[in-house]
């Protein structure tokens, strides 16, 4: 990797996954690549955590999984967002922005 | 929806694990491929790309396991693996497992059976709405609980402010005529508010109303409410029964309601029919309205607590108002005794039940200690295995969890067997239970009981497993090296010795309790009942119906029955009495002598009233002390005469010749009876109650006619066998008059001590089991110890120790432990016997003979338990010992 990178912030992996697959159905590695690309290499996704999280989100009913052919004709498990997942994403996004802006305010106040 | 998905996925994972695993493996594999492809795209060679991808991922297997470990099904899976392993281990030592499981089954089974018996009495609330607000109220005359009079009830109704409602009741035994045989029913006469006080409404029809309870009028109309069981049994659950008339004692009575299924009438559990009292609200002093024969139950207002309600009752008793006249025998001068209905119902049996619960807890503890001991004995063979597992990286928690799985499995097997055991014994328990046990019809192995057993089993599984698990873990601790040598005196022996001491001590406590009860029952049956119970058959004969309304007809019927019975071959004497000793009847009156010396003025005036036929004393074998017995000349027109018992005469007429004294029975306005004879004392209620004063008179001279009378038949031999012939003789006179409660006098004597005998039976069973378990515990400890010390024994005998020395060594070890256990147990028994005090009779709770006898018994049994291992130890030859490793 070219830029210094860190693990995904604790507790945000679910949200990042949901956001990523909300655009189009994706397989596991696709999600990793997208998160790393969009974060410009700041976040690095641990594959074990990612696959476990995918399994969990699917169980929770927020993701739907389907085995499909990839572009290079390999079988892969594609995840897409369900309606419940979309609602969950909205909730998590708003809760995240609320908390993030609160943290930002505190940091500013200290400065 | 989500839960459903969780469940479905988990189950799929469980059922088709290979497919689920393949899915995960495919996904991980594809991830690696894609990652490699992406590296390749950046210019790495295919091999380098793949390596880089794997480096980033870590171990493929680890990732697969990580993904796989998610989900509840995995917990199920490891648990199943633990249980499977535990089952394999138990199978490897089948005898051990069997003994342990059976021991636990005994403990759990006994606990379950006892819990199901005491649960409705001690723990469950009564089956009514707000049952804690129900109170039972007694006239507290002389400090004892006396039934109230109707007059008292009326006064309380009018004056109280603490109660929502009050009701009184008394038993009735009407004969129900029908297509088939006439049937005698148990029922109650109740005041109209009875069911409203309890808070239960009829399921069909209507409740009693005030208009249903007018002053008595022979022409009725009469109404009744029947129980669900009677409705189903006699009327085929026909709903049109409501509004129809049935014949009770030949009188047409309209059924107005049917109680709901499962309605439990705790005040009189066998009652199946209820009718109204029909007392006279004018309360004439010479009427039955002032007889002490009503039970008073009341519902306290919600905002008032029971103590305040009771306090108000005492205030009412103290402050008499001119509007409420009271006769002298219902003056309420001693106030009321009022407690919650639940407490009153269980009062008499609570001590026995608490003692039995204590006993079963002791038994259960002994069983658990025994099993713990068995498991510890396996510890030695276990230690090596545990060390290996620890060395291979099993965590402490994982090992303890696995050991606990084993004991939990063992406990579950024990629990399952225990439930089977409880299920089969609980019916026997109910059959054997003393008649005074309240709510015995609510004793079942139900869901509450099963939940109790499940909880108990879990706790036991954990408790029994904890010590061996910790012990095993300590042994396999950080050192990690398997210790196989049996030469090392092991620390767990100390734990096991302590457990054996505990076991012996607990067994001794149970044995002492059983011993004390046994002696009590022996003492009790050694008490003279005052009559001769041998070869006497008794039964209650009843007349019912319009034509017996006339006293003459009734007396004539009983006279002819007596004539007929005396003709039955084998009968040597026969007589009637209105109440029979030890039958459960208790009908007492205040008896007032014309000339009571001042010294005796404070004595309790109440005495049991017996209306008897001439020849009763001879038929019962009650000895005449002075004067004459009642005879056939003491009829309706003749001077009124009575016979009293000797201690009554001594106490109430000290220094006077009782013959010729005059007395009132009941109200002072009644006629005088003259004492013509004095007979021996007879116990009426129980062998344990020595004080039972009596006044005997002939049936025609009593102011009421007793329509139910006890027939006492004396025979030359085998009184019980006479019953059919006597029944036939009576049926020949009138086949419509029911004959009930047939039993020999000896059976009644035995039944009168039923509560103590019941407790004794259970204590004997528990104590015997405890004794056996203690013996097994001692035996298995010594036997294990001898095996572990085989080498030592060999060395000793090689060095010149005689066989006797070695036998002595083993015995010393065993008897030291037993002695210690006996010592502790004696102290424990001295304390624990306090719980038994109310059940004891004629022995103190510290009866030295019992304690000594029990200690000796335990010592003998433990000598037996030592003998086998000692014999084995003595046979160890030096050469065997040297080759042992």
């Amino acid at each position: 990797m070219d830029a210094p990178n860190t693990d995904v912030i604790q507790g945000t992996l679910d949200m990042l996954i949901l956001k990523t697959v909300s655009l189009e159905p994706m397989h596991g590695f696709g999600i990793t690549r997208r998160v790393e690309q969009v974060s410009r290499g700041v976040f690095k996704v641990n594959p074990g955590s990612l696959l476990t999280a995918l399994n969990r989100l699917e169980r929770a009913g927020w993701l739907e999984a389907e085995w499909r052919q990839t572009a290079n004709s390999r079988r892969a498990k594609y995840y897409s967002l369900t309606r419940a997942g979309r609602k969950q994403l909205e909730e998590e996004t708003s809760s995240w922005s609320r908390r993030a802006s609160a943290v930002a305010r505190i940091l500013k106040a200290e400065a | 929806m989500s839960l459903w998905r969780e469940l479905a996925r988990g189950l799929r994972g469980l059922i088709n694990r290979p497919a689920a695993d393949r899915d995960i493996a495919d996904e991980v594999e594809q991830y690696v491929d894609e990652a490699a492809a992406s590296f390749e795209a950046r210019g790495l060679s295919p091999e380098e790309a793949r390596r880089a991808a794997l480096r980033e991922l870590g171990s493929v297997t680890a990732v697969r396991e990580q993904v796989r470990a998610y989900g509840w099904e995995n917990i199920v899976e490891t648990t199943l693996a633990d249980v499977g392993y535990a089952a394999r281990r138990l199978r490897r030592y089948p005898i051990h497992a069997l003994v342990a499981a059976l021991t636990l089954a005994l403990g759990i089974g006994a606990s379950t059976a006892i819990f199901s018996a005491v649960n409705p009495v001690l723990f469950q609330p009564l089956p009514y709405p707000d049952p804690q607000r129900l109170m039972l109220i007694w006239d507290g005359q002389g400090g004892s609980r006396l039934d109230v009079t109707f007059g008292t009830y009326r006064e309380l109704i009018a004056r109280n402010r603490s109660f929502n409602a009050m009701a009184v009741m008394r038993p009735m035994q009407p004969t129900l005529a029908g297509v088939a045989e006439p049937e005698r029913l148990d029922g109650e006469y109740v005041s109209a508010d009875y069911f409203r006080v309890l808070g239960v409404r009829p399921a069909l029809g209507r409740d009693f109303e005030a208009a249903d309870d007018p002053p008595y009028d022979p022409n009725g109309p009469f109404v009744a409410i029947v129980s669900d069981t009677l409705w189903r049994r006699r009327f085929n659950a026909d709903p049109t029964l409501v509004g129809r008339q049935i014949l009770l004692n030949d009188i047409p009575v309209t059924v107005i309601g049917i109680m709901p299924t499962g309605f439990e009438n705790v005040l009189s559990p066998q009652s199946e029919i209820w009718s109204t009292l029909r007392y006279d609200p004018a309360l004439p002093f010479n009427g039955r309205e002032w007889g002490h024969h009503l039970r008073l139950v009341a519902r306290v207002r919600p905002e008032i607590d029971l103590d305040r309600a009771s306090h108000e009752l005492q205030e009412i008793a103290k402050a008499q108002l001119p509007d409420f006249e009271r006769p002298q025998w219902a003056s309420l001068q001693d106030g009321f005794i009022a407690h919650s209905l639940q407490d009153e119902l269980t009062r008499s049996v609570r001590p026995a039940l608490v003692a039995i619960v204590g006993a079963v807890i002791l038994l259960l503890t002994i069983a658990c200690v025994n099993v713990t001991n068995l498991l510890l004995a396996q510890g030695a063979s276990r230690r090596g295995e545990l060390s290996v597992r620890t060395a291979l990286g099993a965590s402490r928690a994982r090992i303890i969890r696995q050991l606990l799985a084993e004991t939990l499995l063992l406990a579950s097997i024990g629990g399952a067997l225990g439930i089977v055991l409880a299920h089969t014994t609980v019916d026997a328990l109910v059959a054997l239970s003393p008649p005074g046990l309240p709510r015995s019809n609510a004793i079942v192995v139900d869901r509450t009981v099963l939940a109790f057993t499940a909880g108990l089993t879990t706790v036991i599984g954990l408790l029994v497993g904890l010590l061996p698990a910790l012990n095993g873990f300590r042994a396999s601790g950080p050192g990690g090296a398997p210790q196989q040598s049996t030469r090392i005196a092991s620390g767990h022996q100390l734990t096991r010795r302590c457990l054996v001491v505990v076991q012996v001590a607990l067994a001794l406590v149970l044995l002492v309790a059983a011993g004390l009860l046994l002696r009590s029952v022996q003492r009790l049956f050694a008490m003279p009942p005052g009559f001769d119970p041998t070869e006497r058959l008794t039964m209650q004969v009843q007349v019912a119906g319009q034509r017996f309304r006339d006293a003459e007809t009734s007396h004539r019927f009983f006279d002819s029955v007596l004539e007929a019975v005396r003709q039955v071959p084998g009968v040597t004497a026969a007589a009637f009495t209105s109440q029979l000793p030890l039958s459960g009847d208790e009908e007492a009156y205040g008896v007032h002598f014309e000339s009571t010396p001042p010294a005796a003025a404070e004595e309790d005036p109440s005495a049991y009233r017996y209306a008897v036929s001439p020849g009763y004393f001879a038929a019962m074998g009650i000895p005449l002390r002075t004067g004459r017995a009642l005879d056939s000349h003491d009829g309706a027109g003749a001077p009124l005469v009575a016979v009293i018992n000797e201690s009554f005469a001594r106490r109430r007429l000290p220094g006077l010749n009782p013959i010729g004294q005059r007395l009132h029975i009941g109200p002072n306005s009644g006629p005088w009876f003259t004492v013509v004879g004095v007979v021996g004392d007879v116990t009426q209620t129980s062998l344990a109650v020595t004080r039972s004063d009596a006044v005997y008179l002939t049936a025609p001279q009593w102011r009421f006619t007793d329509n139910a009378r006890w027939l006492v038949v004396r025979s030359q031999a085998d009184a019980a066998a006479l019953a059919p012939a006597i029944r036939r003789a009576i049926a020949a006179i009138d086949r419509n008059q029911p004959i009930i409660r047939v039993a020999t006098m000896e059976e009644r004597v035995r039944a009168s001590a039923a509560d103590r005998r019941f407790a004794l039976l259970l204590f004997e069973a528990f104590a015997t089991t405890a004794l056996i378990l203690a013996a097994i515990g001692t035996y298995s400890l010594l036997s294990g110890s001898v095996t572990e010390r085989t080498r030592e024994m060999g060395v000793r005998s090689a060095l010149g120790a005689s066989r006797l020395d070695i036998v002595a060594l083993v015995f010393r070890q065993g008897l030291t432990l037993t002695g210690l256990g006996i010592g502790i147990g004696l102290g424990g028994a001295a304390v624990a016997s306090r719980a038994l005090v109310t059940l004891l009779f004629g022995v103190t709770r510290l009866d030295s003979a019992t304690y000594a006898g029990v200690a000796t018994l335990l010592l003998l049994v433990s000598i037996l338990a030592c003998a086998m291992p000692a014999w084995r130890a003595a046979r160890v030859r030096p050469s065997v010992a040297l080759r042992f490793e």
Side-chain angles (χ1 to χ4, degrees):
Chain A
M1 289 290 134
D2 314 316
N5 55 49
T6 57
D7 279 344
V8 171
I9 298 171
Q10 274 266 302
T12 60
L13 180 60
D14 287 7
M15 181 173 65
L16 296 185
I17 292 171
L18 292 176
K19 176 66 191 173
T20 309
V21 300
S22 72
L23 309 172
E24 55 174 333
M26 268 183 207
H27 54 65
F29 184 72
I31 297 170
T32 306
R33 197 161 47 193
R34 177 67 64 87
V35 168
E36 285 173 6
Q37 276 170 1
V38 175
S39 73
R40 305 216 182 102
V42 172
F43 289 150
K44 188 173 149 49
V45 180
N46 174 302
S49 312
L50 176 79
L51 294 177
T52 312
L54 286 172
N55 189 359
R56 186 177 64 238
L57 295 176
E58 189 198 343
R59 282 259 193 122
W62 296 331
L63 294 182
E64 232 164 27
E66 191 190 0
W67 287 92
R68 264 199 249 162
Q69 299 289 320
T70 62
N72 45 15
S73 68
R74 177 131 182 20
R75 234 167 64 86
K77 202 174 180 184
Y78 274 81
Y79 294 90
S80 54
L81 205 60
T82 63
R83 189 179 307 203
R86 194 165 297 283
K87 234 179 107 196
Q88 177 66 16
L89 174 61
E90 277 162 24
E91 272 172 31
E92 289 202 17
T93 311
S94 70
S95 136
W96 170 256
S97 16
R98 207 169 49 246
R99 282 186 294 160
S101 59
V103 170
R105 269 199 304 280
I106 292 169
L107 292 179
K108 251 182 226 150
E110 266 182 351
Chain B
M1 184 61 204
S2 168
L3 181 73
W4 174 239
R5 198 195 334 265
E6 271 288 326
L7 220 70
R9 276 304 177 88
L11 280 179
R12 201 187 325 150
L14 272 182
I15 293 164
N16 199 352
R17 191 89 234 188
D21 283 350
R22 207 160 47 239
D23 261 16
I24 293 170
D26 281 356
E27 192 174 11
V28 174
E29 192 54 38
Q30 181 260 335
Y31 190 99
V32 174
D33 286 353
E34 293 280 351
S38 115
F39 279 118
E40 225 179 307
R42 282 190 232 166
L44 297 182
S45 74
E47 293 81 43
E48 281 172 333
R50 187 153 186 91
R51 255 203 308 281
L54 286 177
R55 199 163 47 238
E56 201 160 281
L57 189 80
S59 150
V60 175
T61 322
V63 171
R64 269 210 306 254
E65 282 303 309
Q66 193 184 346
V67 176
R68 194 174 180 256
Y70 174 76
W72 60 267
E73 69 268 23
N74 287 289
I75 298 171
V76 174
E77 219 177 42
T78 39
T79 309
L80 284 178
D82 277 346
V83 172
Y85 181 75
R88 280 199 301 282
R89 265 202 66 91
L90 294 183
R91 263 212 307 277
R92 196 142 31 110
Y93 302 99
I95 302 291
H96 241 98
L98 191 71
V99 171
L102 284 182
T103 307
L104 286 179
L106 268 179
I108 294 174
S111 309
T112 303
I114 295 301
F115 176 76
S116 63
V118 302
N119 182 37
V121 185
L122 294 186
F123 305 121
Q124 269 175 15
L126 296 176
Y128 306 119
D130 286 333
Q132 73 285 355
R133 293 202 285 123
L134 290 173
M135 281 183 107
L136 208 55
I137 301 171
W138 305 90
D139 188 332
Q141 221 173 86
S144 59
R145 289 171 165 78
L146 198 63
D147 282 336
V148 300
T149 66
F150 187 70
T152 303
Y153 158 70
R154 294 288 299 199
E155 182 178 343
L156 283 182
I157 285 274
R159 293 180 62 186
N160 90 81
R161 291 167 181 284
S162 304
F163 297 88
N164 275 343
M166 289 182 167
V168 283
M169 82 228 63
R170 70 183 174 91
M172 65 169 178
Q173 274 108 25
T175 304
L176 173 66
V179 272
E181 293 234 311
E183 183 183 356
R184 207 194 67 152
L185 303 176
D186 277 304
E188 288 174 306
Y189 291 109
V190 298
S191 57
D193 274 339
Y194 181 61
F195 294 117
R196 274 182 289 279
V197 169
L198 296 183
V200 184
R201 293 176 41 74
L204 278 177
R206 64 173 179 90
D207 200 348
F208 291 126
E209 284 157 17
D212 295 319
D213 194 13
Y216 182 77
D217 172 357
N219 299 318
F222 297 96
V223 292
I225 291 178
V226 301
S227 76
D228 182 74
T229 48
L230 179 64
W231 179 50
R232 287 176 197 283
R233 194 179 72 239
R234 286 295 294 230
F235 304 103
N236 301 318
D238 178 3
T240 66
L241 176 67
V242 175
R244 247 173 40 206
Q245 289 193 330
I246 56 175
L247 275 185
L248 283 185
N249 295 346
D250 281 353
I251 300 166
V253 175
T254 308
V255 176
I256 60 164
I258 293 156
M259 292 310 286
T261 317
F263 165 64
E264 214 185 307
N265 190 37
V266 297
L267 282 156
S268 170
Q270 68 281 15
S271 286
E272 295 187 304
I273 189 161
W274 295 270
S275 191
T276 46
L277 278 170
R278 293 162 182 274
Y279 281 11
D280 187 352
L283 306 179
F285 269 11
N286 58 356
R288 54 186 184 154
E289 284 71 16
W290 288 103
H292 286 281
H293 56 246
L294 296 175
R295 291 266 211 114
L296 176 52
V297 64
R299 185 172 277 276
V300 181
R301 287 181 190 281
E303 69 275 12
I304 291 185
D305 66 43
L306 264 52
D307 287 341
R308 251 184 70 197
S310 174
H311 184 74
E312 195 206 4
L313 290 175
Q314 311 309 342
E315 294 292 312
I316 292 175
K318 249 184 277 171
Q320 195 180 350
L321 297 183
D323 283 355
F324 300 98
E325 270 194 283
R326 298 173 187 166
Q328 172 250 328
W329 62 89
S331 65
L332 303 179
Q333 57 179 1
D334 296 331
F336 291 98
I337 295 177
H339 295 288
S340 84
L341 179 60
Q342 176 118 27
D343 288 353
E344 284 291 316
L345 281 179
T346 58
R347 186 173 53 92
S348 60
V349 292
R350 186 178 287 267
L353 291 185
V354 168
I356 289 167
V357 168
V360 86
I361 291 175
L362 283 185
L363 181 69
L364 186 64
T365 312
I366 294 173
C368 289
V369 169
N370 214 28
V371 172
T372 308
N373 229 340
L374 278 175
L375 293 173
L376 280 176
Q378 282 187 322
S381 66
R382 261 228 112 139
R383 242 165 295 145
E385 175 207 331
L386 291 182
S387 313
V388 171
R389 286 171 64 93
T390 316
L392 288 178
S395 71
R396 176 190 276 253
R398 189 78 184 76
I399 286 186
I400 290 187
R401 203 175 109 183
Q402 196 240 301
L403 288 171
L404 288 184
E406 200 176 312
T407 54
L408 276 172
L409 180 65
L410 205 55
S412 305
I413 298 171
L417 289 175
I419 287 174
V420 174
L421 186 73
H423 212 88
T424 48
T425 50
V426 93
D427 288 342
L429 208 60
V430 173
L432 288 170
S433 68
L437 184 69
R439 304 200 63 200
S440 59
N441 45 357
I443 297 176
V444 278
V445 178
D446 59 3
R447 245 179 305 167
T448 323
V449 174
L450 291 182
F452 164 82
T453 311
L456 187 71
T457 302
T458 313
V459 170
I460 286 174
L462 293 177
L463 276 184
V464 161
L466 209 58
L467 207 54
L470 292 177
N471 207 299
F473 192 78
R474 197 169 55 225
S476 69
Q483 301 174 340
Q484 296 290 1
S485 173
T486 49
R487 267 175 301 174
I488 297 161
S490 32
H492 79 280
Q493 272 275 346
L494 181 67
T495 323
R496 294 195 60 202
R497 279 182 208 154
C498 290
L499 290 179
V500 165
V501 170
V502 168
Q503 237 181 340
V504 171
L506 293 178
L508 187 102
V509 172
L510 270 181
L511 283 167
V512 165
L516 288 174
L517 282 174
L518 180 67
R519 284 176 71 86
S520 296
V521 170
Q522 284 170 346
R523 289 281 165 87
L524 195 59
F525 286 127
M527 291 295 290
F531 55 85
D532 182 0
T534 50
E535 302 309 345
R536 260 109 180 152
L537 184 69
T538 62
M539 63 192 75
Q540 203 172 28
V541 184
Q542 204 180 20
V543 293
Q546 291 287 7
R547 60 202 179 83
F548 293 107
R549 178 126 302 169
D550 168 36
E552 255 327 288
T553 319
S554 182
H555 291 313
R556 250 201 324 275
F557 169 77
F558 285 111
D559 286 346
S560 49
V561 165
L562 221 45
E563 269 319 302
V565 169
R566 283 177 181 145
Q567 302 305 316
V568 173
V571 172
T572 54
F576 276 114
T577 175
S578 59
Q579 61 179 337
L580 186 73
L582 303 183
S583 65
D585 293 351
E586 285 185 57
E587 195 203 10
Y589 283 80
V591 171
H592 299 276
F593 289 91
E594 189 179 23
S595 48
T596 301
E602 291 298 303
E603 293 285 343
D604 177 11
S606 65
Y608 296 107
R609 188 251 345 169
Y610 301 83
V612 301
S613 67
Y616 172 71
F617 300 123
M620 280 291 278
I622 300 171
L624 182 69
R625 299 294 188 221
T626 56
R628 66 170 177 91
L630 301 167
D631 62 35
S632 50
H633 302 297
D634 303 320
L640 300 181
V641 295
V643 168
I644 59 175
N645 63 307
E646 54 181 331
S647 68
F648 193 35
R650 229 181 0 255
R651 237 185 13 266
R652 297 299 306 281
L653 303 166
L656 298 177
N657 178 9
I659 307 296
Q661 298 292 333
R662 298 208 300 167
L663 52 82
H664 283 303
I665 302 171
N668 284 342
S669 55
W672 291 108
F673 285 80
T674 307
V675 177
V676 294
V678 176
V679 292
D681 293 350
V682 171
T683 58
Q684 174 61 28
T685 51
S686 148
L687 292 175
V689 181
T690 44
R691 163 95 185 266
S692 43
D693 294 329
V695 56
Y696 301 87
L697 33 92
T698 60
Q701 291 197 343
W702 183 240
R703 55 181 177 274
F704 307 129
T705 312
D706 293 290
N707 282 330
R709 298 185 197 177
W710 287 96
L711 177 64
V712 181
V713 175
R714 185 177 159 195
S715 77
Q716 285 153 334
D718 197 9
L722 280 179
I726 292 172
R727 273 177 185 279
R728 274 196 303 276
I730 299 174
I733 297 167
D734 186 338
R735 56 171 290 277
N736 285 325
Q737 307 312 325
I739 296 163
I740 49 160
R741 298 164 84 180
V742 182
T744 66
M745 220 49 219
E746 278 167 329
E747 286 166 346
R748 288 190 196 287
V749 170
R750 269 198 302 281
S752 74
D755 49 345
R756 284 188 178 84
R757 278 161 48 90
F758 181 62
L760 173 64
L761 188 80
L762 291 176
F763 270 88
E764 276 177 341
F766 294 166
T768 312
T769 315
L771 186 64
I772 293 170
L773 290 181
I776 291 178
T778 313
Y779 167 79
S780 82
L781 174 83
L782 290 179
S783 150
S785 156
V786 165
T787 308
E788 287 186 19
R789 292 166 74 184
T790 302
R791 197 186 136 98
E792 179 198 329
M793 303 292 178
V795 171
R796 277 173 191 265
S797 63
L799 290 179
S802 72
R803 287 194 171 185
L804 199 63
D805 292 336
I806 296 207
V807 168
L809 186 76
V810 175
F811 267 97
R812 200 156 47 236
Q813 191 191 354
L815 294 186
T816 309
L817 298 181
T818 309
L820 216 55
I822 289 178
I824 296 172
L826 286 176
V831 176
S833 58
R834 225 170 279 189
L836 277 181
V837 168
T838 51
L839 290 175
L840 298 185
F841 180 82
V843 288
T844 68
R845 66 182 182 85
L846 298 176
D847 182 59
S848 53
T850 306
Y851 282 67
V854 164
T856 314
L857 174 70
L858 202 51
L859 203 63
L860 287 177
V861 169
S862 78
I863 287 174
L864 279 182
C866 292
M868 255 292 267
W871 183 65
R872 225 156 40 90
R875 289 192 346 150
V876 174
R877 269 171 292 148
S879 55
V880 173
L882 296 176
R883 268 190 267 116
F884 195 69
E885 283 181 48

